[in-house]
Amino acid sequence: MVVRTWRHFDERYNLIGTKCKTCGTVYFPARNVCANCRRKGEIEPYKLSGKGKIYTYSLISAPPEEFELGAPYVIGIIELEEGAKITAQIDDEIENIEIGMPVEATFRRISEDGKDGVIKYGYKFKPVGK
């Protein structure tokens, strides 16, 4: 089954998640139901700031074929200011990455797809304040 990329435009290009109006919990990717409030919660779209800190990370030296040209690279879990955690590639300065380091989302090239070379773009995170 092929995932239709247009379904993920808000997440990929705008960092749009959801927020429960009842308890204030922020989710990314977007959810239809609040895990805390269940049916009592009222969910609304929410634009994330894209600012956060590195919660944990891993250096990828032997990547899948699609990402070989970019190796080595860092994949991390970013804890956003709003509380949601997001998995993403951490760009720039990979040798100086530390847990707790402040980062911000940036719009970058993710990969090329198929023989036609269709370029996929999306968010990555880069260190700030160093």
Side-chain angles (χ1 to χ4, degrees), residues 4 9 12 19 21 25 35 37-38 48 59 63 67-68 87 92 94-95 109 120 127:
R4 291 193 167 88
F9 279 176
R12 185 181 303 150
K19 182 176 183 176
K21 290 167 68 174
T25 303
C37 301
R38 310 261 184 220
L48 298 159
L59 176 67
F67 296 98
E68 283 178 335
T87 302
D92 305 332
I94 65 171
E95 61 279 345
R109 179 182 179 268
K120 294 180 184 176

Side-chain angles (χ1 to χ4, degrees), residues 14-108:
N14 299 306
L15 282 180
I16 303 290
T18 51
K19 182 176 183 176
C20 178
K21 290 167 68 174
T22 306
C23 71
T25 303
V26 175
Y27 296 99
F28 187 88
R31 295 182 65 138
N32 294 324
V33 177
C34 177
N36 296 322
C37 301
R38 310 261 184 220
R39 289 185 289 162
K40 294 178 184 177
E42 188 178 340
I43 297 288
E44 65 182 351
Y46 187 79
K47 171 96 169 106
L48 298 159
S49 69
K51 296 179 182 177
K53 62 183 177 182
I54 298 174
Y55 183 78
T56 190
Y57 69 93
S58 182
L59 176 67
I60 308 298
S61 298
E65 189 175 315
E66 184 178 353
F67 296 98
E68 283 178 335
L69 293 176
Y73 59 90
V74 175
I75 293 290
I77 297 177
I78 309 302
E79 183 173 12
L80 298 172
E81 288 179 343
E82 296 86 357
K85 290 185 178 80
I86 180 172
T87 302
Q89 187 173 344
I90 301 170
D91 225 5
D92 305 332
E93 305 177 33
I94 65 171
E95 61 279 345
N96 298 320
I97 300 229
E98 299 174 6
I99 291 175
M101 175 182 279
V103 291
E104 67 182 1
T106 183
F107 190 69
R108 300 272 170 94

